[in-house]
Amino acid sequence: MQKKNRANYVRLPLEKAYNVRDLGGYPGEKGRATKYHSFLRTDDLSEITTKDKAFLKSYGVTAAIDLRGVEEAEKYPNPFRDDPDVNYINLPFITEGIIDMRKIQIVGFHVPTFYKQLIDSHELVLKIMKFIIAQKGCVLFHCMAGKDRTGVVAMILLGLCGVGREDIIANYQITRTYLKGHVDLHLREELADLEFSRPEWMAEAYDYLMEKYETMEDYLMEVGLSKTEIKKLKRKLI
């Protein structure tokens, strides 16, 4: 049996993944802190070492949600895809407007608009949240950079637990710092701005959700979760 790693990390020290972060440690509802070892948001894991993989499993990872499109997931396979100890699922969190950031060719593409489309993709959000609710242990979720699709899911989870707007934005914007020098999306020069994780992008998406749905609980009920399911989801993180 693999020895469990009980240390709490903000960013996990992996060799070949650079934006692997725990959602624990944020002040949330009624002053309670979000739990460590419950959720990890990550970038692409296809190149992680055997040691990295073992570290993640020792940290408690028992489920992995791949938010990328089928083509992305096939080209850059998640190392837990065939692991008997980890419940892996590919749940593409995509819209018609964007499937793979590496292929985007739309000059003037507005990132917050994409985030709003994801927020309003109720069927997709419902599938992701229902899968999470059914899991035990630490749930890892990721896309390619761990910024856009991953960022929206992280916003929903943190927001549900009462984590403040500023902390949600800060959690998002640090991605660029961790990925700079390690990951190149190979975007056209005029699209290079899309590699950033600008705080105003997440601020606009968060404000859109709160103005349209009023609370994160109301949003998730609109998505299709029951009150009981929402409570179960919240208990996983706080």
Side-chain angles (χ1 to χ4, degrees), residues 6 9 37 46 49 84 110 136 149 173 175 205 214 216:
R6 298 301 179 189
Y9 291 92
H37 300 266
S46 62
T49 65
H110 190 234
K136 294 180 180 179
R149 293 162 285 190
Q173 73 183 81
T175 287
E214 296 188 358
M216 202 61 74

Side-chain angles (χ1 to χ4, degrees), residues 71-72 75-76 94 98-104 144 149:
E71 186 180 340
E72 288 177 282
K75 188 173 182 180
Y76 307 98
I94 57 178
I98 179 170
I99 295 178
D100 184 349
M101 277 293 263
R102 294 169 187 255
K103 292 182 178 179
I104 191 165
M144 283 304 295
R149 293 162 285 190

